[in-house]
Amino acid sequence: MPLGAVRPSPLVEQATERLREQITGGHWPVGTRLPGETTLAKELGVGRSTVREALRALAGAGLVQPRQGAGVFVVATEPVEDWPTRLRRAAVTDVYEVRMALEVHAAHLAATRRTDDDVAALRAALAERRDASARDDAAFVDADIALHRAVVAAAHNPLLADLFTEFAPALREGLLDMLDLVRVRDQDPNTGDDTHAALVDAVAGGDPEAATAALRGELEHTSKLLREGEDAAGPE
């Protein structure tokens, strides 16, 4: 099967996709040594530097592996899933267990590192969560996540903040599904206000033990509701 010349711009992305198709389609099975850069460049109608970048991208996806002095070999026919993709595919209860470990530690750090600006942001986020209780589930969940994001931000650890950002889309989807199934807001539109207020007060007061206890209790309660929601949904 000929590769066929690619169209101009973006050449690297097109070359990568064309080579990926050859691998995932079985034209180049695992163990195959790919043609050299010069041959690939000629078939694709691009420069060798473009081919080199495309091969680097395929190596990053776990499909090929360069071997010193031997060439580039196919090592897998399915790309390795990146972290955001794995999060989207994970069960929300599994995501929540990891979230608990991340956020409880962040709350402990936040209570020892918070600044006046952090405290102001936390109180504003709590007020916004209360205001959002009068709106729909999506607005309430967004305000809830914003409050938790403010707690993580107060820990002043950029890696924790980045991890929370990665988790946020999966958390949002899971919380919306849970609220739709369990309907806890029908009786209490501002569900969890007491535990969130306790969390903010503990961080603001510099009490790491109280902060972690408040957050752990809130997350354990939500995790229980998520499991109830999954049970109510039943098997697909």
Side-chain angles (χ1 to χ4, degrees):
M1 181 172 62
L3 289 172
V6 299
R7 297 181 303 277
S9 182
L11 292 178
V12 172
E13 288 84 352
Q14 291 185 55
T16 302
E17 184 56 31
R18 200 66 60 82
L19 295 173
R20 186 195 305 269
E21 289 172 356
Q22 297 291 96
I23 295 171
T24 59
H27 181 69
W28 289 328
V30 171
T32 300
R33 179 183 181 276
L34 299 189
E37 288 181 3
T38 301
T39 301
L40 291 174
K42 182 178 179 180
E43 290 196 41
L44 291 168
V46 298
R48 290 181 60 186
S49 62
T50 298
V51 170
R52 196 171 299 118
E53 288 297 320
L55 292 175
R56 187 174 292 117
L58 294 175
L63 293 174
V64 303
Q65 183 180 74
R67 297 175 185 168
Q68 186 67 33
V72 178
F73 291 80
V74 177
V75 294
T77 56
E78 292 295 331
V80 176
E81 289 184 337
D82 59 17
W83 182 238
T85 300
R86 294 187 67 183
L87 279 177
R88 287 194 296 271
R89 291 167 58 90
V92 69
T93 48
D94 292 338
V95 172
Y96 235 77
E97 288 178 357
V98 179
R99 179 196 182 188
M100 191 176 302
L102 183 158
E103 282 199 59
V104 167
H105 183 57
H108 187 280
L109 293 176
T112 62
R113 299 176 177 177
R114 81 277 182 266
T115 65
D116 291 343
D117 287 343
D118 292 327
V119 172
L122 284 167
R123 297 211 182 279
L126 180 62
E128 175 57 27
R129 189 181 188 276
R130 287 169 172 168
D131 290 343
S133 67
R135 302 196 289 273
D136 62 15
D137 286 349
F140 184 71
V141 166
D142 287 341
D144 179 82
I145 291 175
L147 173 54
H148 286 270
R149 190 188 303 276
V151 173
V152 175
H156 293 281
N157 182 315
L159 292 181
L160 285 176
D162 288 345
L163 284 172
F164 184 85
T165 297
E166 293 282 3
F167 275 94
L171 294 176
R172 185 179 192 276
E173 182 179 349
L175 289 171
L176 286 172
D177 288 345
M178 180 268 288
L179 290 175
D180 184 54
L181 288 168
V182 182
R183 309 307 308 169
V184 291
R185 295 189 67 224
D186 290 351
Q187 292 76 38
D188 182 10
N190 194 17
T191 181
D193 181 67
D194 54 345
T195 53
H196 285 81
L199 170 62
V200 170
D201 286 343
V203 172
D207 188 337
E209 286 72 24
T212 56
L215 185 55
R216 183 178 290 109
E218 190 270 326
L219 292 179
E220 287 177 348
H221 175 68
T222 305
S223 182
K224 178 175 179 291
L225 292 176
L226 286 167
R227 287 187 170 82
E228 290 175 358
E230 287 187 342
D231 292 341
E236 295 183 357

